[in-house]
Amino acid sequence: MREFLYSEIANIHGMQNIPDDPELAIRAGTQLCEQLLEPLQERFGRIAVRSGYRAPAVNKLGNEQQRAGKQGYSCATNETTSGCHIWDRLDKNGHMGATASIVVPSFAKLYNDDGISWTQLAWWIHDHLPYCRLFFFPKNAAFNIRWSEAPERKIQSYVEPRGYLTNSKMSNNKGDHSTEYAELISKIKP
């Protein structure tokens, strides 16, 4: 939990990043770990957590700074982030959830050095893990991975191809995608 509570925004601004409802945060975080992060780490090796839990006050400040155009802040509103980065609040539909921003170093090396597309890891996760949402970023193929009681099965990216890779309304959301990540599996053995 210590790794998930670390917050650069909180540290810079002298704030505490502690859950108001620790029991809910721990329940949501446990599901994130057991359902997504541990299986991902088991398959691809160590993962690096860049960001996890955000207290509502920390997230609100991050959103205000982002809307003011300050560099280095990228937080959505508290309403949008509840049941996401704010683990100790239910989302707008009353569902528990938790998000972490992570890097998978073994994949980041292939992404940075060999040009392997982020979509390979995204499709592997889609076929193997009960995720809610994935959102990929350009640097080191870092991504947000969200667990929720009500999984949406959406993959988005700021990396080409930008936008949605899949969502429940797209025809590619169902079925086997193993041909999409065969190269990745051949390069990273469990």
Side-chain angles (χ1 to χ4, degrees):
M1 194 66 177
R2 180 180 303 132
E3 199 170 2
F4 291 119
L5 293 176
Y6 177 80
S7 168
E8 290 178 5
I9 294 172
N11 289 346
I12 289 167
H13 295 278
M15 302 172 76
Q16 290 196 0
N17 191 45
I18 299 171
D20 294 329
D21 185 344
E23 288 182 21
L24 179 57
I26 290 169
R27 281 197 337 263
T30 297
Q31 291 303 310
L32 172 68
C33 290
E34 290 178 355
Q35 300 292 323
L36 303 176
L37 301 181
E38 290 169 6
L40 193 61
Q41 184 164 280
E42 185 177 309
R43 176 58 186 88
F44 294 103
R46 189 182 77 75
I47 61 170
V49 175
R50 295 179 47 177
S51 172
Y53 171 81
R54 288 190 203 135
V58 172
N59 191 77
K60 182 179 181 211
L61 175 66
N63 178 256
E64 290 168 351
Q65 296 294 317
Q66 183 247 339
R67 286 186 296 145
K70 302 262 175 118
Q71 294 294 320
Y73 295 88
S74 59
C75 299
T77 65
N78 280 4
E79 180 183 17
T80 302
T81 308
S82 292
C84 189
H85 275 294
I86 301 175
W87 301 1
D88 59 335
R89 286 192 180 168
L90 302 177
D91 69 16
K92 64 184 177 186
N93 297 313
H95 298 116
M96 178 175 60
T99 295
S101 297
I102 66 170
V103 171
V104 178
S106 63
F107 178 73
K109 180 170 177 22
L110 294 172
Y111 172 83
N112 290 326
D113 297 346
D114 298 343
I116 292 216
S117 174
W118 64 272
T119 61
Q120 291 195 39
L121 183 57
W123 283 123
W124 185 90
I125 293 169
H126 184 79
D127 281 359
H128 293 89
L129 302 178
Y131 75 98
C132 177
R133 293 185 81 148
L134 301 174
F135 207 115
F136 283 79
F137 303 98
K139 188 172 182 183
N140 293 324
F143 60 101
N144 286 353
I145 184 167
R146 179 179 178 205
W147 172 85
S148 172
E149 291 178 303
E152 300 169 2
R153 310 280 294 163
K154 293 181 181 179
I155 302 173
Q156 294 173 265
S157 179
Y158 283 122
V159 187
E160 293 299 328
R162 292 174 66 97
Y164 281 103
L165 178 65
T166 193
N167 65 48
S168 61
K169 295 177 182 166
M170 295 172 72
S171 61
N172 68 354
N173 197 263
K174 297 201 183 321
D176 176 33
H177 304 90
S178 58
T179 58
E180 298 291 335
Y181 51 84
E183 180 184 16
L184 172 63
I185 297 307
S186 73
K187 293 185 181 235
I188 301 177
K189 302 293 183 194

